[in-house]
Amino acid sequence: MLEKIDLTKKMGKKEFKQTMEELSGKLGTLQRECRNLKIPVIIVFEGFGAAGKGTLINQLIQPLDPRGFNVYAINGESDEEQLRPFLWRFWTKTPENGRIAIFDRSWYRRVLIDRFDGLTTEKQLGYAYNEIVSFEQQLTDGGNVMIKFFLDITKKEQKKRFDKMLESKETAWKVSKGDLKRNKHFAEYKMMNEEMLQKTDTDFAPWTIIEAMDREYAAVKIISTVVDCLEKRVSNQKELERLAREEEKLENVESVEVKPGFKSSVLSSADLTLTYTKEEYKERLDELQKKLSLLHSELYRRRIPVILGFEGWDAGGKGGAIKRVTQCLDPRGYAVNPTAAPNDIEKAHHYLWRFWQTFPKAGHIALYDRTWYGRVMVERIEGFCSTQEWKRAYKEINDCEATLAHSGAVVLKFWMQIDKEEQERRFKERMANPDKQWKITDEDWRNREKWDAYEAAVDEMLIRTSTTYAPWIIVEGNCKYYARIKVLETIVKALEARIK
C-alpha cells in the first residue's frame, strides 16, 4: 500500500491559499448541517512521527465552530485505563449525534507503537485487529461517519524534522526516545503500519493515505476528503431515514409473529417445578455467600473483572437474586447498574455507549438489572429500533462481549424464567402490598399482552448470543429460593474455574 504512494506531490502557496478559502467555507457549512441532521463524525489521524499531525489537525479545525468538536491526543494508557478493556477509553470518547471527535492517534496504538515496543502480546495482537474492525463497523452502522488518515513521509524526511525539533528547547520535548528508535528501525515499523492498513481498510471505514512531505498539499487533501465525505453523507441522510422508517415499521411487527403450533424451544424446556425448602435455601445461601465473599477478595487480588447481566420476565426475580449476590460482597468492589429507557444524552450515542461507561475495571464486579439486550427485546418488540438495527445487534453484542472476555473478564448472563401464571400471581401480590406497589406499573400489565412475541424474541436472543465466553444461564424461577441458589452456584462455580 505505502510503497505505491508518490511522496513528491506539492502545492504552491497561491493555489493553497485559494483552495483553502473555498474549502473552509464549505467545511463550516457542513459542520452545521451535520449538527442539524444529528450526524456524528469521527476523524482519525495516524501515521509516522513528525508527519505533521498536530499542524494539520489545527488547520482542519480552524473553519469549525469550537463548540461542536473535541480533539483527543492519545498517548500511553493511564493506570485507570490499564484496568479496562483497551477499547474502553475510545468508546467513552465517541461523539454524540451532531458532534465531531478528532483523534490524534487512536485505537491503532495497540497494533503500532505498543506492538513495536513489545507491550502488545501476540495473543492480544490476534484479537486486536478483529476488535478494531468490529468497533468501527458498530459505530458506522450506528450512524457515525468514520474518516481515517494515514500521514506518510520518508525515513530521511522524518529524521530531518526530528533533528530540527531537537535543535530548540521549545520543540525538543516533542521528540521522544521512542520516536528516534522507530526512525532507526523505520523499515520494521513501516511493515507494521502496512499490515495495519491492509487489515483495517474497509468499505465502511477506509484509509486515506496523505502524502505529508509537503504540508500545504497534505492540508488540502485532508480537508477536501472531509468535505467530500460529509457532503455525501448529508445529501443521503434524510432520504435514508425516510426509507428506513417506512420499511421497518411493518417488518418489526412481522418479525415477532409466532406461528400456530410452534413454541419457544429454549424457554419451554425449563423445569419450573424445581424448588428448595426454606431450610434448604437458608443452608445453601449461607454456604455460597461465604464462598463468594472469599472469591471476591481473590478476584480483586488477581485483577479479574466480572460482569453479571440479569434479564427476565417482569417480576421474574432479578432484584432478589442481585440482592443475595451483593449481600456478601465488599461494597467498594462492585456496582449495580439498573438499566431503564435511555435518556436524551444516551439516545444521542450508539446504544452500547452507555454500557461501556459502566463496564468494570479489573478486580471489580458490575451487575446489571437489565442490560444491552434491550436492543433485541423491548426495542425490537416496541419498534424503538429498525429491523436492520436489531438484527445486526446480535453480532455487535457478541463482539462486544468477546472484547470483554479477551480483556480477562468473566461474563455471565442470567435469564430469570417464570411462567405466565406465576407472573400474574406476583403482580397481584405486589398490588396488594403497599410496600411493593411501586414495583408494578400499567406498562407491566400491558407487556403481558405481548408475552408470545417476547417469548419468541427471547428464544432467538438466547440461541444467537449464548457463547463459550459469555454464556446464558436459564434460571428456573417459579420458586424464588431455587432461583437465587442457582444464580449463586453458577457464579461461584464460574469464578472458581477462572481463578484455577
Side-chain angles (χ1 to χ4, degrees):
M1 202 175 212
L2 294 177
E3 73 275 6
K4 304 296 184 184
I5 302 301
D6 179 7
L7 294 179
T8 64
K9 294 181 178 180
K10 293 184 179 181
M11 178 172 284
K13 301 288 185 183
K14 183 177 180 180
E15 182 184 1
F16 169 73
K17 184 177 180 181
Q18 291 175 342
T19 307
M20 285 295 286
E21 286 179 359
E22 179 183 348
L23 289 172
S24 294
K26 289 183 178 180
L27 187 57
T29 300
L30 285 166
Q31 182 194 19
R32 292 188 291 274
E33 289 185 302
C34 286
R35 183 184 62 210
N36 293 336
L37 292 170
K38 300 188 182 303
I39 300 171
V41 180
I42 297 173
I43 304 174
V44 173
F45 283 81
E46 291 287 352
F48 295 116
K53 289 185 290 295
T55 300
L56 293 167
I57 289 172
N58 190 51
Q59 288 182 309
L60 172 65
I61 64 177
Q62 288 307 306
L64 301 178
D65 182 339
R67 297 169 296 181
F69 67 84
N70 294 94
V71 177
Y72 301 103
I74 303 301
N75 296 306
E77 292 176 318
S78 66
D79 291 343
E80 172 75 8
E81 290 164 347
Q82 288 177 10
L83 296 174
R84 308 276 188 172
F86 99 91
L87 285 173
W88 175 82
R89 61 170 168 160
F90 304 110
W91 264 108
T92 56
K93 295 178 177 65
T94 54
E96 66 182 67
N97 295 341
R99 291 186 62 84
I100 300 172
I102 300 169
F103 289 88
D104 178 359
R105 296 203 179 277
S106 64
W107 38 95
Y108 287 98
R109 183 184 179 95
R110 172 149 289 203
V111 297
L112 294 176
I113 292 177
D114 289 353
R115 177 186 181 184
F116 181 85
D117 292 341
L119 300 176
T120 301
T121 66
E122 285 300 314
K123 184 177 180 181
Q124 289 173 328
L125 184 64
Y127 294 141
Y129 284 120
N130 289 335
E131 291 176 356
I132 286 170
V133 171
S134 174
F135 171 61
E136 293 178 350
Q137 185 168 14
Q138 288 177 35
L139 291 171
T140 53
D141 283 348
N144 284 264
V145 177
M146 179 81 66
I147 305 171
K148 301 187 301 190
F149 296 113
F150 185 92
L151 277 56
D152 190 15
I153 58 174
T154 64
K155 177 181 180 179
K156 183 178 178 181
E157 178 66 17
Q158 185 186 58
K159 182 66 164 58
K160 177 183 173 183
R161 294 182 184 184
F162 282 159
D163 289 343
K164 185 175 182 181
M165 285 188 279
L166 288 169
E167 290 175 358
S168 170
K169 291 182 179 179
E170 285 74 23
T171 55
W173 63 272
K174 295 182 179 181
V175 184
S176 68
K177 291 181 180 179
D179 289 326
L180 297 175
K181 184 178 179 181
R182 286 186 290 277
N183 178 258
K184 184 178 179 180
H185 302 278
F186 192 86
E188 178 187 352
Y189 187 56
K190 184 175 181 178
M191 286 183 64
M192 293 180 181
N193 281 271
E194 281 275 18
E195 181 181 337
M196 178 275 290
L197 291 169
Q198 291 169 13
K199 290 190 173 183
T200 60
D201 186 47
T202 59
D203 58 344
F204 49 83
W207 282 103
T208 299
I209 309 298
I210 301 298
E211 301 85 344
M213 298 286 283
D214 182 79
R215 285 176 176 164
E216 284 78 15
Y217 178 87
V220 168
K221 184 170 181 178
I222 286 169
I223 297 180
S224 295
T225 303
V226 173
V227 166
D228 287 345
C229 289
L230 298 187
E231 281 180 339
K232 289 175 183 176
R233 180 54 184 275
V234 165
S235 66
N236 291 336
Q237 182 71 9
K238 289 183 179 180
E239 181 64 13
L240 286 172
E241 290 180 354
R242 185 187 67 79
L243 290 174
R245 282 194 300 269
E246 290 181 0
E247 286 181 13
E248 307 300 349
K249 282 181 181 178
L250 287 176
E251 290 184 11
N252 273 323
V253 176
E254 296 169 357
S255 63
V256 295
E257 179 185 355
V258 182
K259 296 180 181 179
F262 289 90
K263 291 286 289 182
S264 174
S265 61
V266 177
L267 296 182
S268 61
S269 65
D271 183 359
L272 298 180
T273 66
L274 294 170
T275 63
Y276 277 126
T277 66
K278 190 172 185 178
E279 291 71 25
E280 289 172 328
Y281 166 69
K282 286 184 176 180
E283 182 180 348
R284 291 292 290 138
L285 180 67
D286 183 61
E287 176 188 350
L288 290 166
Q289 286 185 330
K290 286 178 179 177
K291 284 186 178 181
L292 187 54
S293 179
L294 293 174
L295 286 167
H296 191 201
S297 297
E298 190 65 10
L299 291 170
Y300 184 81
R301 187 178 75 82
R302 297 182 184 227
R303 295 299 189 190
I304 299 171
V306 179
I307 296 168
L308 305 174
F310 290 82
E311 291 284 359
W313 299 106
D314 293 329
K318 295 182 295 296
I322 290 171
K323 183 176 181 180
R324 271 65 187 184
V325 172
T326 58
Q327 278 177 338
C328 56
L329 302 179
D330 184 332
R332 297 169 295 180
Y334 77 85
V336 177
N337 303 284
T339 301
N343 59 34
D344 290 343
I345 294 175
E346 292 164 344
K347 286 178 181 178
H349 288 84
H350 189 282
Y351 74 96
L352 288 174
W353 175 84
R354 60 171 170 158
F355 300 105
W356 275 95
Q357 309 294 316
T358 58
F359 286 149
K361 59 185 177 182
H364 288 244
I365 299 176
L367 301 96
Y368 292 86
D369 183 354
R370 298 205 182 280
T371 67
W372 39 98
Y373 283 95
R375 187 68 156 189
V376 295
M377 288 192 293
V378 63
E379 292 184 38
R380 168 185 175 176
I381 302 299
E382 304 299 336
F384 296 150
C385 66
S386 69
T387 299
Q388 184 182 29
E389 286 171 332
W390 67 255
K391 282 187 174 180
R392 70 169 179 253
Y394 295 120
K395 182 180 184 301
E396 292 172 342
I397 290 170
N398 285 340
D399 288 348
C400 173
E401 292 172 352
T403 296
L404 298 173
H406 293 158
S407 73
V410 176
V411 184
L412 299 174
K413 303 169 304 194
F414 298 95
W415 176 264
M416 311 300 288
Q417 174 66 5
I418 58 175
D419 59 36
K420 203 171 183 180
E421 293 72 25
E422 176 63 17
Q423 185 189 62
E424 183 178 19
R425 187 190 68 78
R426 293 183 185 183
F427 278 6
K428 290 178 178 178
E429 180 184 305
R430 288 179 177 183
M431 292 183 70
N433 186 341
D435 293 331
K436 292 186 177 182
Q437 286 176 353
W438 62 274
K439 290 185 175 184
I440 188 76
T441 66
D442 291 339
E443 185 178 352
D444 294 327
W445 286 105
R446 284 196 301 271
N447 287 342
R448 278 177 58 81
E449 298 173 7
K450 300 178 182 179
W451 181 282
D452 290 345
Y454 270 100
E455 189 174 56
V458 171
D459 191 63
E460 183 175 0
M461 173 193 78
L462 295 172
I463 292 170
R464 299 186 65 176
T465 62
S466 189
T467 59
T468 55
Y469 50 82
W472 275 105
I473 299 94
I474 298 177
V475 180
E476 300 84 349
N478 271 16
C479 172
K480 292 182 179 181
Y481 293 155
Y482 181 87
R484 293 165 185 172
I485 295 303
K486 181 169 181 177
V487 168
L488 284 163
E489 283 179 337
T490 303
I491 295 170
V492 167
K493 183 178 179 181
L495 299 187
E496 286 178 338
R498 176 68 173 84
I499 288 171
K500 289 177 181 178

